[in-house]
Amino acid sequence: MDIVVHEATDDTAVLECSGRLNMVSAGAFRETVAKVVEGGRARLVVELSGVEFMDSSGLGALVGCLKTARQAGGDLRLAAPSEQVQMVLKLSNIDKILRTYPDGDAAVTNWA
């Protein structure tokens, strides 16, 4: 999985992900998020339009990263999940916990 980090504001980062978020890549994803949060950006937007496949390990990584962000006083939001990712989120009811937005811009500008 490829992750490109964009610094949106002083405390917000957008992580543009592509590939597969699964057992193989979940650890690297968690490490990237931890580094971003340690760097002072606890508000995270994870852009998932390029993620073609996500399994339960990827789902666990997203939930773990949500916890990491919230413990640092921030939050984690999902932007533009692909069809397969949306299906996994709905089947697991995680879509009730992780807020999704149509794109990264909407997620960044809509912090409540």
Side-chain angles (χ1 to χ4, degrees), residues 1 3 21-35:
M1 182 165 101
I3 305 168
L21 182 50
N22 57 15
M23 184 176 72
V24 175
S25 61
F29 176 76
R30 287 178 197 243
E31 287 177 23
T32 300
V33 168
K35 287 178 186 173

Side-chain angles (χ1 to χ4, degrees), residues 38-97:
E38 287 169 11
R41 288 181 168 76
R43 289 182 169 182
L44 307 173
V45 175
V46 181
E47 215 274 10
L48 297 169
S49 62
V51 174
E52 64 217 26
F53 177 80
M54 181 174 71
D55 65 7
S56 59
S57 297
L59 199 59
L62 287 175
V63 172
C65 291
L66 170 67
K67 182 178 177 182
T68 299
R70 287 189 174 167
Q71 286 176 336
D75 199 5
L76 183 142
R77 296 177 174 183
L78 305 180
S82 65
E83 196 172 312
Q84 192 275 336
V85 171
Q86 281 181 359
M87 183 183 69
V88 171
L89 292 170
K90 287 183 185 191
L91 288 173
S92 62
N93 281 325
I94 297 297
D95 61 335
K96 307 285 189 253
I97 298 168

